[in-house]
Amino acid sequence: MIAEVIVDVPAQQTDRPFDYRVPEKWSGMIQEGMRVTVPFGPRKLLGFVVKLKESSEFKSLKNISGLLDMEPALNEELLELGHWLADETMCFKISAFQAMLPAAMKAKYEKQIRLTRGMVVSDLLPELQPLFQKTGTMKWDDAQNNELLPLVKKEMDRGALELSIKVSNKGNVKKEKFIKPLLDKEGLITQLGEISKTAKNQRCIIEYFLENPIESPLSKVLKDTGLSGYSVIKPLVNKGILHVQERESYRDHYEQHEFQADAVLPLTEEQRGAMGPIERAVEEKRNETFLLYGVTGSGKTEIYLQSIKRIVDEGKEAIVLVPEISLTPMMVTRFKRRFGNLVAVLHSGLSTGEKYDEWRKIQRGEVKVVVGARSAVFAPFKNIGLIIIDEEHEGSYKQEEMPRYHARDVALKRASYHHCPVILGSATPSLETFARAKRDVYTLLTLKSRVNQRALPEVSIVDMREEMRGGNRSMFSELLFEKLKERVEKGEQSVLMLNRRGHSSFVMCRNCGLVVTCPNCDVSMTFHRVQSQMKCHYCGLEEGVPNVCPDCGSDHIRYFGTGTQKVEEELGKLMPHARVIRMDVDTTSRKGAHEALLKRFEDGQADILLGTQMIAKGLDFPKVTLVGVLSADTMLHLPDFRSSERTFQLLTQVSGRAGRHELPGEVVIQTYTPEHYSIQLASEQDYEGFFMREMFLRKQNDYPPYYYIALLTVSHEDVLKAMDTADKITTYIKRHVSPSTVVFGPSASPMSRINNRYRYQCLLKYKREPNLAVILKKLNETYGRNAAQSGLQLSIDVNPFIMM
Ligand code: ADP
Ligand code: ZN
Ligand code: ZN
């Protein structure tokens, strides 16, 4: 038997299966999708068996050296999905496979020293013998001290010891001891009488089991008795009073929480209207995609829960994707309450071990529902009945590293395999999705009103140019400052959002709000501090910064970019009494910090929550009556054709957050471009108006959803090399694409240098490009080969979400 194996080397040259012989002892055991270890040159590597076959065209094959799984890590569907993913996103097969598995299943390569075949411990120098006594191996690192190393070296030179690489899982399976009494009540009482009065700990344990005559994990016994260490139990095990067994156990992130079951809510008429078509699709096992379009609070989540209930009752499984940031305890609680321990939760706040355990529960079919961020779309369920993507427009569904997949595409692919429906939910669907719903590719389900009929908050737009002209140079408008002060005095809470993303700045006139845009591309020019130049990152145009505004002649023209820290400082000066919690990448990088800060705010330990867009989601605090957006424009002027869409989504999102409860809410949006349609329409919560407007512009400029795009980025430490390669690639592409495809570039990337690597890009717009896969593959082969030696990196992003 021969196995085709994809090895753990993400490189162009190794991106194909290698043949290995299956040793006799494993024939019949090895299956496709299992992870194995194989010799590869001088190394030993992890690999995935992708195919088993009878013969190979190669003569001298090496043997598979180890088996890492007893069950395939990737079932048939996922293995196939991996190949598809590699083709679709132009990534290495090994990267695709690994992306589908928890990090714990990546390989850990550990150097070891072991006895050479045929040698026994007693052949070694006496000093070394005890070290090799137990397993015949020792860790390489343990040998790295001055006394041992010369001896080990000597034995290695002699051929008695050799270096080997141990390949194992990164994460481990947690084992736990479970204790139970072997005697009945009377037996235990008798024992209690016989044990000496001074053996307090032992007596304590026996008394514990008298009261709890059931099997319990060791940790629980120790916790309940206040004792520590297995050593207090061991004597009782030796005497035959207690029994101990070690078994696998799961690490449960939510162990401390108690979830009360909650009842299914009777649906409103509008909800029933949306539920009907979903139920029919479920019943008929139809692979239909729904867009559930409904404002925040319209009861989408309740529809998800009830649809899942149907699936679970039929013995099938459901995947629910939620943006990382909204995987708040609140969200998790809603699912746990409805489905109890049939729910697995996957998000980045879990430890590697916890994630591994959740994954194993899914693989073993012990849970029926997974709620998770992007990568949960690969949950190894075998009988999927429904896939849900909440907030489908969210950027976090696109992975920005290899494999550059969008979870929505993967979900649709898996749903077609399982013949099941998909629900995409959003109050502000992505343009692509809404356009498909309009063309009946997806079925549109609309929820127009909030369940509790609570009105949407009142939104005021403040023109910061007026403030400026009126002499207010602070980052707070008078209106926002007044309202903020009022809230602090009344003991109500406010949320302040500084809309800031990316690292680039733009040049703007503070007098009239003009932002310098590229005459060719209609995107804002990016300011580069070092050269004091503005650049267009689509077409490459460069210009100096004007001294006066080309529109109004004011000399208040300068570049923009402000941080949360600066806002916090200013708040401290203006309102020294206000208690502020700042939430941004700096204050939330520690594990659990995000949750902890939100909790503090919820508990009323602060008056103002200040943060970047990360605070816009999952935010649902009864006492928040004011939401302030400090700078609605920041994102508007990023060099990205989606910047209006993102601004609209974000502003709609935050506006929907105020006044969800008894107290009415207010929103203040500060902007230099109050007339911009995405700000106007967001303040009116007019999604459809925005859709029409934006679609018109996309059509005019040949952007998605009218055209597809692909972005190629070349990077190199040497600016000339990067530029030159980008030039060659662009020329090659221009020569090989069909006439209807438009090619832009080469031009410097918006982030033109990252980690001392210069970046250049080439952009393709196409409606149908039959040669695309072939062209990209060819480029990957040409420029991806020997990437290590040449220092060149080529990244290909088909349907990029972020254009930088
Ligand atoms: P969305 O997901 O659209 O934001 P939710 O499903 O979270 O909306 O619903 C908003 C609020 O209304 C929640 O508190 C939810 O419990 C409640 N709710 C939803 N559906 C119903 C219903 N049919 N009857 C009563 N309350 C409901
Ligand atoms: Zn101006
Ligand atoms: Zn341009």
Side-chain angles (χ1 to χ4, degrees):
M1 193 61 107
I2 311 292
E4 289 188 2
V5 176
I6 299 280
V7 295
D8 183 14
V9 184
Q12 199 62 48
Q13 294 91 314
T14 46
D15 190 31
R16 62 178 177 84
F18 291 86
D19 286 359
Y20 286 90
R21 201 178 297 285
V22 177
E24 202 56 45
K25 60 180 171 186
W26 289 329
S27 75
M29 243 167 99
I30 282 197
Q31 295 171 41
E32 289 170 6
M34 280 184 177
R35 296 169 310 145
V36 292
T37 55
V38 291
F40 194 79
R43 294 178 286 177
K44 200 200 246 178
L45 293 176
L46 173 143
F48 287 83
V49 175
V50 290
K51 203 172 156 192
L52 291 169
K53 55 188 184 183
E54 297 295 328
S55 61
S56 168
E57 55 185 297
F58 301 102
K59 281 243 165 53
S60 63
L61 291 183
K62 289 182 184 160
N63 274 344
I64 285 180
S65 51
L67 206 53
L68 288 173
D69 296 313
M70 296 309 282
E71 286 275 320
L74 297 171
N75 63 32
E76 201 185 317
E77 184 219 346
L78 290 175
L79 207 51
E80 199 182 292
L81 190 70
H83 291 298
W84 172 84
L85 198 61
D87 285 344
E88 288 289 306
T89 69
M90 310 299 302
C91 78
F92 304 124
K93 294 228 153 82
I94 187 70
S95 312
F97 294 153
Q98 284 178 338
M100 298 194 281
L101 295 172
M105 292 175 80
K106 282 197 175 157
K108 185 167 91 182
Y109 297 100
E110 219 176 351
K111 272 175 152 181
Q112 284 187 338
I113 302 157
R114 69 170 177 211
L115 281 168
T116 311
R117 234 200 164 95
M119 289 284 173
V120 289
V121 174
S122 55
D123 293 337
L124 295 176
L125 293 166
E127 298 93 318
L128 291 178
Q129 288 184 16
L131 298 169
F132 286 84
Q133 198 69 52
K134 234 180 172 169
T135 59
T137 62
M138 79 176 291
K139 285 192 186 136
W140 176 257
D141 289 342
D142 292 345
Q144 305 301 306
N145 70 50
N146 293 339
E147 283 136 54
L148 274 182
L149 199 59
L151 304 177
V152 169
K153 177 102 181 21
K154 205 162 157 188
E155 292 293 51
M156 284 175 76
D157 290 344
R158 184 168 77 89
L161 289 177
E162 65 183 7
L163 183 67
S164 82
I165 306 284
K166 184 170 165 239
V167 187
S168 57
N169 277 337
K170 264 223 166 84
N172 57 345
V173 171
K174 185 184 165 198
K175 297 259 174 71
E176 191 167 9
K177 291 189 172 71
F178 289 82
I179 319 286
K180 69 173 178 198
L182 284 173
L183 307 175
D184 61 10
K185 203 169 173 183
E186 277 165 30
L188 289 176
I189 291 174
T190 313
Q191 289 295 332
L192 208 53
E194 286 172 15
I195 287 177
S196 117
K197 288 265 180 295
T198 55
K200 280 210 182 97
N201 290 351
Q202 290 190 28
R203 301 182 65 88
C204 172
I205 296 282
I206 293 181
E207 276 160 8
Y208 175 81
F209 279 103
L210 259 170
E211 263 173 52
N212 309 278
I214 47 160
E215 184 177 78
S216 303
L218 174 64
S219 55
K220 181 170 170 20
V221 177
L222 294 177
K223 194 172 147 236
D224 291 351
T225 55
L227 298 171
S228 62
Y230 176 62
S231 57
V232 300
I233 308 259
K234 202 168 169 209
L236 298 173
V237 172
N238 291 344
K239 284 186 200 157
I241 301 170
L242 298 180
H243 177 260
V244 59
Q245 191 188 29
E246 198 169 42
R247 286 204 304 266
E248 253 185 49
S249 76
Y250 294 128
R251 288 151 281 211
D252 187 353
H253 189 71
Y254 295 98
E255 203 170 43
Q256 308 300 328
H257 303 242
E258 297 242 339
F259 296 102
Q260 282 171 339
D262 79 344
V264 172
L265 299 170
L267 295 182
T268 63
E269 194 165 327
E270 210 175 31
Q271 282 173 317
R272 271 206 311 273
M275 190 73 191
I278 298 173
E279 279 178 316
R280 278 195 292 283
V282 166
E283 244 155 59
E284 293 161 20
K285 298 179 183 48
R286 200 157 3 100
N287 174 215
E288 182 173 353
T289 304
F290 296 95
L291 168 59
L292 182 57
Y293 160 55
V295 294
T296 28
S298 59
K300 295 188 292 295
T301 310
E302 187 59 35
I303 292 184
Y304 303 154
L305 292 166
Q306 299 201 15
S307 316
I308 297 169
K309 179 82 170 53
R310 311 236 359 174
I311 297 294
V312 172
D313 286 347
E314 284 180 33
K316 289 196 274 185
E317 297 134 356
I319 296 177
V320 186
L321 301 185
V322 183
E324 183 70 60
I325 225 128
S326 14
L327 260 175
T328 52
M330 226 165 353
M331 189 72 171
V332 171
T333 304
R334 282 183 83 176
F335 281 85
K336 288 257 181 189
R337 282 189 159 182
R338 213 51 83 80
F339 302 107
N341 48 16
L342 289 181
V343 185
V345 179
L346 284 172
H347 63 81
S348 66
L350 305 185
S351 69
T352 305
E354 286 168 345
K355 275 186 224 156
Y356 184 35
D357 290 353
E358 294 295 288
W359 186 86
R360 277 156 55 231
K361 286 187 212 163
I362 299 166
Q363 203 203 22
R364 293 170 174 177
E366 294 169 9
V367 292
K368 293 290 172 197
V369 182
V370 58
V371 181
R374 180 176 64 226
S375 63
V377 75
F378 299 115
F381 281 137
K382 297 181 188 78
N383 190 12
I384 299 174
L386 178 64
I387 305 180
I388 294 168
I389 305 187
D390 190 31
E391 311 279 0
E392 69 87 33
H393 60 276
E394 259 299 306
S396 62
Y397 288 127
K398 172 75 194 278
Q399 174 150 303
E400 293 299 339
E401 57 189 59
M402 272 234 272
R404 296 170 181 276
Y405 69 91
H406 197 296
R408 195 198 300 129
D409 301 330
V410 179
L412 294 179
K413 179 80 182 162
R414 291 198 76 183
S416 86
Y417 180 94
H418 288 275
H419 299 289
C420 76
V422 174
I423 306 176
L424 308 174
S426 178
T428 52
S430 65
L431 247 65
E432 285 87 338
T433 296
F434 203 72
R436 277 185 198 146
K438 287 233 151 186
R439 286 190 295 127
D440 290 329
V441 181
Y442 301 159
T443 309
L444 182 63
L445 306 170
T446 310
L447 300 176
K448 286 205 157 56
S449 46
R450 284 184 159 183
V451 173
N452 54 14
Q453 304 297 330
R454 203 136 344 258
L456 291 164
E458 191 181 308
V459 182
S460 332
I461 299 178
V462 179
D463 186 344
M464 291 303 276
R465 297 168 304 187
E466 294 287 340
E467 296 286 319
M468 167 78 197
R469 288 185 208 124
N472 176 10
R473 284 164 179 268
S474 127
M475 46 184 102
F476 298 100
S477 60
E478 260 171 52
L479 184 73
L480 180 57
F481 187 73
E482 277 312 309
K483 289 192 186 294
L484 208 53
K485 222 167 75 185
E486 201 184 291
R487 293 308 188 287
V488 174
E489 278 159 15
K490 276 201 291 192
E492 292 175 5
Q493 289 183 308
S494 310
V495 168
L496 280 183
M497 189 182 65
L498 184 70
N499 180 7
R500 181 178 152 81
R501 176 173 267 158
H503 306 260
S504 63
S505 332
F506 53 93
V507 177
M508 184 171 82
C509 168
R510 285 197 71 178
N511 188 47
C512 75
L514 172 109
V515 169
V516 182
T517 56
C518 171
N520 305 329
C521 308
D522 213 19
V523 295
S524 11
M525 309 269 291
T526 304
F527 178 71
H528 288 250
R529 197 185 300 244
V530 187
Q531 304 103 321
S532 217
Q533 285 263 328
M534 295 182 308
K535 292 185 189 175
C536 169
H537 292 290
Y538 281 15
C539 71
L541 182 76
E542 293 191 18
E543 276 180 354
V545 182
N547 293 323
V548 293
C549 172
D551 222 36
C552 74
S554 155
D555 57 0
H556 283 301
I557 187 158
R558 55 189 190 89
Y559 72 89
F560 261 72
T562 272
T564 38
Q565 216 164 341
K566 239 167 114 183
V567 181
E568 193 183 21
E569 279 168 26
E570 184 150 336
L571 268 177
K573 276 186 221 138
L574 296 173
M575 273 182 245
H577 304 300
R579 296 164 302 161
V580 180
I581 291 182
R582 176 163 67 96
M583 239 168 90
D584 56 22
V585 275
D586 295 331
T587 61
T588 56
S589 53
R590 217 167 23 83
K591 197 184 144 191
H594 189 258
E595 278 183 22
L597 288 175
L598 285 180
K599 181 91 180 57
R600 270 181 51 204
F601 187 60
E602 194 179 359
D603 291 347
Q605 294 181 41
D607 307 301
I608 299 171
L609 177 65
L610 162 70
T612 50
Q613 38 270 73
M614 69 168 67
I615 62 172
K617 316 283 161 52
L619 212 121
D620 192 2
F621 306 112
K623 276 206 264 168
V624 172
T625 57
L626 175 67
V627 172
V629 180
L630 286 170
S631 46
D633 321 73
T634 332
M635 202 157 58
L636 206 51
H637 304 304
L638 287 183
D640 193 319
F641 71 89
R642 285 198 185 87
S643 58
S644 302
E645 185 180 0
R646 291 203 188 110
T647 301
F648 177 83
Q649 286 165 347
L650 187 68
L651 294 180
T652 311
Q653 185 89 244
V654 282
S655 304
R657 289 299 161 188
R660 305 238 308 172
H661 301 266
E662 275 67 48
L663 300 166
E666 265 187 291
V667 179
V668 177
I669 297 176
Q670 300 190 160
T671 172
Y672 287 91
T673 41
E675 67 287 348
H676 195 283
Y677 63 99
S678 64
I679 292 173
Q680 283 293 336
L681 294 169
S683 75
E684 291 156 25
Q685 307 262 330
D686 182 1
Y687 174 78
E688 274 163 80
F690 174 79
F691 176 80
M692 302 291 277
R693 188 74 196 255
E694 183 69 12
M695 282 296 272
F696 176 74
L697 291 173
R698 298 281 180 92
K699 185 166 187 169
Q700 274 196 328
N701 295 302
D702 301 342
Y703 281 126
Y706 293 99
Y707 274 77
Y708 291 106
I709 50 180
L711 179 69
L712 287 84
T713 307
V714 174
S715 74
H716 198 279
E717 285 185 2
D718 178 353
V719 63
L720 290 176
K721 183 87 191 153
M723 224 156 75
D724 182 49
T725 311
D727 193 40
K728 281 192 183 126
I729 286 176
T730 311
T731 310
Y732 178 87
I733 292 174
K734 280 182 178 153
R735 206 176 295 144
H736 289 86
V737 288
S738 33
S740 64
T741 296
V742 197
V743 184
F744 292 94
S747 65
S749 301
M751 286 192 252
S752 60
R753 193 165 69 151
I754 296 179
N755 281 335
N756 281 323
R757 299 178 67 86
Y758 290 88
R759 304 168 80 240
Y760 281 80
Q761 68 182 36
C762 166
L763 180 74
L764 280 78
K765 289 184 187 171
Y766 56 96
K767 268 201 184 326
R768 223 182 69 82
E769 179 49 73
N771 301 329
L772 186 72
V774 178
I775 294 171
L776 297 183
K777 210 168 178 129
K778 178 80 189 160
L779 288 171
N780 239 349
E781 273 160 20
T782 313
Y783 295 97
R785 190 178 302 277
N786 301 325
Q789 284 104 305
S790 68
L792 194 82
Q793 272 171 16
L794 168 64
S795 95
I796 298 177
D797 197 345
V798 182
N799 303 323
F801 189 78
I802 291 174
M803 300 294 294
M804 312 209 279

